[in-house]
Amino acid sequence: MRLDDDFELDEYDGFDSKKDMRAMVIIGAVFLAALIIGILLFFVFKNRNSGMETGQTAAPGNIVLSDETEASGDNQDAAENVLYSEAWEMSDVDADEEIQAELIAREFGSEVDEASVTLAIAENETMGTTIGIDVAKYQGTIDFKQVADSGIEFVMVRIGYRTARTGIITEDVNAAYNLQQAQANGIKLGAYFFSTAITEEEAKEEADFVADFVAKYPITYPIAYNCEGFTDSENRNSMLSNDERTKIAVAFLDEIAARGYTPMFYSSKSEMEDNAYWDMDAIENSYKVWVSQYPELPYPQANASSYSGVHAMWQYTNQGSIAGISKMVDINVAYFGYSADSEAKDSEAPEAATADAEALMSFEGVSEAVTAKNSTNLRSEPSTLGDTVVYVLGNGEIVTRTGICEASGWSRVDYNGQTLYAVSSYLTTNLEEVSNDSGQAADEFIDEVMVDGVTIKTKFTEVNEQVTAKEMVNLRSLPSVTNEAVKIVGTLSAGETLTRTGINNELGWSRLDYNGQTVYAITSYLTIVE
């Protein structure tokens, strides 16, 4: 459009020139705004790329991870199925679709089907792989310092579960301990709940239980919904349809999101593939997905789960061996990480928690007076590992037994108000078997051995006979196979003879003279030389 000197400003070709000028101003303003937005987008993407370059260089055990996750070569499938999470901070401005596609392709190193990539908002979330574990009471008492030193970056802690038959929400006995110890050792926290909800209301109740429980902890990684075992006809949720089951899961996930946490859905590949048991079309477009699938080859040789759907985390083994954990543990690779810990919702510090020593055992409650048959260690945990001996209970000292675990052979006792544990076979309820010097039979004597400042007494009946091993037997410095102080002095083979000087038929130990040294052997491994 051109304006001449003799042109009347109030009219042109029948149009109102003032209105036309206003239109030009508006067009110019829009153009200028678009230019400014384009510049801002350029710097947002540039800064995001420079800050998202994270990699994994240390991993537990013999796991070796590459510094970057790329979409070329063997990692193609992994990249296409990764849940791409990005914190978009562009006010009310939506990113141009072409720019988004270009950004995704640049991050993965090749073009990626946009339909397989979900963009989600998450505070401090970064690209790159991170390695973590998921734990419950079944891992026992965990040494999280060793776990952290092994290269584990995050832990998904089971907060609790709803029972399969009665439907009661139950706290995992080691949840607080696991959260506190992981946090204290610099491991980022996530969580999960094992659900058997049969209504959306129950699912929301479960989510609120979890959110209330973790409010005092910096939960940085997602909170996951885990529902397994529903194919068991005795489970309360076995009659749900796929649609009902999915709606219940979504109710949990939505409530977790409403409480300010990142929701995640967990299931196995076989249950999710082809919508076998879940409507994954309704889940994967809105929530992070955590898939369990255990290939024959361990990561990274297998590179990724063969699950064809979008997923953000892969549980690639349930047979992991990690320093600091005595049991097998699940190991996970997450295709995202976080540059910083999230803040706890509740600034009040949680009450200090200790590990539940009975987490891996089931004790039947009893109340009965017991004493040591001879002497036995009372320990802080039902385990002979570590420095757990609190007191040595002698014959004649009486304590109250409060529980028995038949499967493990341990007893729980009350010693001066303190809960301790002893090997059940070393205790007796027959208090008349109490022995002392004045009542000791003429042919009986008591061995007294000093161990770490504590005198261990064992009653023997005096004998004098030649014995040999049925096959082979260890000769020990103490009549014990569990005491940390015991040493293997030597071995006795079939045909070699020693003099047995004492025997305790109740405990099954023999006292032997071994080249002038007193040693002990298990009686059942010996036989008398005629």
Side-chain angles (χ1 to χ4, degrees):
M1 180 176 62
R2 185 178 66 86
L3 297 177
D4 295 327
D5 290 341
D6 60 347
F7 175 72
E8 294 292 332
L9 293 177
D10 59 347
E11 60 181 41
Y12 175 71
D13 290 341
F15 289 94
D16 187 332
S17 60
K18 292 182 179 181
K19 293 181 178 178
D20 205 38
M21 286 295 293
R22 286 195 295 270
M24 292 173 63
V25 171
I26 292 172
I27 293 172
V30 171
F31 178 81
L32 180 60
L35 179 61
I36 292 173
I37 290 172
I39 294 173
L40 290 175
L41 288 175
F42 173 80
F43 282 106
V44 167
F45 295 140
K46 181 178 180 181
N47 291 338
R48 203 269 321 149
N49 284 332
S50 64
M52 300 288 277
E53 298 288 339
T54 61
Q56 173 69 31
T57 58
N62 56 6
I63 299 171
V64 179
L65 300 175
S66 60
D67 290 335
E68 299 180 47
T69 300
E70 300 181 359
S72 59
D74 293 336
N75 287 332
Q76 180 75 34
D77 292 338
E80 290 181 349
N81 292 326
V82 166
L83 177 65
Y84 182 98
S85 299
E86 168 63 37
W88 296 94
E89 298 181 357
M90 292 180 285
S91 302
D92 296 328
V93 182
D94 292 329
D96 182 85
E97 292 182 0
E98 292 183 1
I99 296 177
Q100 290 187 24
E102 180 182 354
L103 173 64
I104 293 169
R106 181 164 66 250
E107 284 298 336
F108 286 111
S110 64
E111 292 187 4
V112 177
D113 180 9
E114 292 178 57
S116 70
V117 180
T118 299
L119 300 177
I121 297 175
E123 184 181 8
N124 299 322
E125 190 168 328
T126 63
M127 291 291 291
T129 58
T130 52
I131 291 293
I133 56 177
D134 55 276
V135 300
K137 70 176 185 178
Y138 306 110
Q139 276 66 51
T141 302
I142 299 174
D143 183 342
F144 277 97
K145 183 181 184 305
Q146 292 189 55
V147 172
D149 290 343
S150 72
I152 293 298
E153 297 168 276
F154 70 91
V155 58
M156 303 292 287
V157 176
R158 188 179 77 159
I159 302 305
Y161 57 96
R162 188 188 289 274
T163 55
R165 291 165 177 77
T166 59
I168 298 173
I169 291 179
T170 306
E171 173 188 330
D172 187 295
V173 294
N174 276 346
Y177 173 85
N178 288 336
L179 288 169
Q180 291 177 21
Q181 290 301 308
Q183 178 187 356
N185 286 280
I187 301 174
K188 288 182 170 58
L189 304 179
Y192 74 96
F193 184 87
F194 190 97
S195 171
T196 61
I198 57 176
T199 66
E200 294 179 36
E201 289 70 24
E202 284 192 350
K204 292 177 181 179
E205 180 187 18
E206 293 171 349
D208 286 332
F209 170 82
V210 175
D212 290 341
F213 190 98
V214 303
K216 296 179 181 179
Y217 300 95
I219 303 299
T220 305
Y221 275 73
I223 294 179
Y225 176 86
N226 176 14
C227 177
E228 300 177 75
F230 49 79
T231 56
D232 183 347
S233 61
E234 295 186 8
N235 279 14
R236 64 196 302 267
N237 57 355
S238 62
M239 302 303 293
L240 296 174
S241 67
N242 287 11
D243 182 63
E244 292 170 330
R245 190 179 300 113
T246 300
K247 287 180 178 179
I248 289 170
V250 167
F252 178 99
L253 298 170
D254 284 346
E255 185 67 13
I256 287 296
R259 295 294 297 268
Y261 299 99
T262 300
M264 174 180 276
F265 175 79
Y266 170 92
S267 188
S268 66
K269 173 195 171 184
S270 60
E271 291 180 354
M272 294 190 293
E273 200 75 79
D274 299 323
N275 295 329
Y277 290 95
W278 303 94
D279 180 3
M280 294 308 299
D281 296 331
I283 293 175
E284 66 183 19
N285 291 328
S286 300
Y287 315 100
K288 280 181 166 62
V289 173
W290 176 11
V291 60
S292 68
Q293 185 253 329
Y294 311 139
E296 293 182 2
L297 292 175
Y299 183 86
Q301 287 87 348
N303 292 306
S305 168
S306 58
Y307 172 56
S308 63
V310 177
H311 56 284
M313 188 184 295
W314 173 31
Q315 183 186 89
Y316 61 87
T317 182
N318 61 355
Q319 297 294 310
S321 178
I322 302 293
I325 305 178
S326 61
K327 306 295 181 181
M328 294 293 99
V329 64
D330 301 336
I331 306 181
N332 307 276
V333 56
Y335 302 108
F336 61 94
Y338 296 91
S339 59
D341 288 334
S342 298
E343 295 291 333
K345 307 298 182 186
D346 186 343
S347 59
E348 181 181 353
E351 182 179 350
T354 57
D356 188 335
E358 299 178 18
L360 300 179
M361 300 179 185
S362 178
F363 281 80
E364 179 184 355
V366 297
S367 180
E368 55 192 13
V370 295
T371 187
K373 292 177 179 178
N374 287 276
S375 65
T376 186
N377 293 323
L378 302 184
R379 298 174 178 270
S380 58
E381 295 183 11
S383 170
T384 60
L385 301 176
D387 186 16
T388 60
V389 177
V390 176
Y391 181 74
V392 176
L393 184 71
N395 179 250
E397 295 181 278
I398 299 173
V399 294
T400 300
R401 177 157 55 188
T402 61
I404 300 175
C405 179
E406 294 289 351
S408 66
W410 285 92
S411 287
R412 181 180 62 221
V413 301
D414 183 328
Y415 173 71
N416 293 334
Q418 185 176 4
T419 298
L420 300 176
Y421 302 88
V423 176
S424 297
S425 61
Y426 292 170
L427 299 174
T428 178
T429 57
N430 187 352
L431 304 183
E432 295 181 359
E433 292 183 3
V434 175
S435 63
N436 51 54
D437 291 340
S438 59
Q440 182 179 331
D443 61 346
E444 293 181 344
F445 58 90
I446 296 177
D447 274 18
E448 294 188 4
V449 181
M450 183 72 71
V451 177
D452 295 332
V454 178
T455 300
I456 297 178
K457 299 180 179 181
T458 307
K459 181 174 63 177
F460 285 92
T461 298
E462 188 174 5
V463 295
N464 186 357
E465 54 195 10
Q466 299 296 302
V467 295
T468 187
K470 293 178 179 178
E471 293 183 3
M472 179 178 290
V473 63
N474 288 324
L475 305 178
R476 301 172 180 272
S477 60
L478 296 172
S480 172
V481 295
T482 60
N483 194 298
E484 292 89 345
V486 70
K487 296 179 181 179
I488 305 297
V489 177
T491 59
L492 181 67
S493 300
E496 300 177 324
T497 61
L498 292 178
T499 300
R500 176 159 57 190
T501 61
I503 189 169
N504 184 311
N505 291 318
E506 188 174 34
L507 294 180
W509 284 97
S510 289
R511 176 181 176 177
L512 308 172
D513 184 348
Y514 177 62
N515 297 329
Q517 181 180 0
T518 298
V519 295
Y520 304 88
I522 297 174
T523 301
S524 60
Y525 291 172
L526 300 172
T527 184
I528 298 175
V529 177
E530 299 296 340

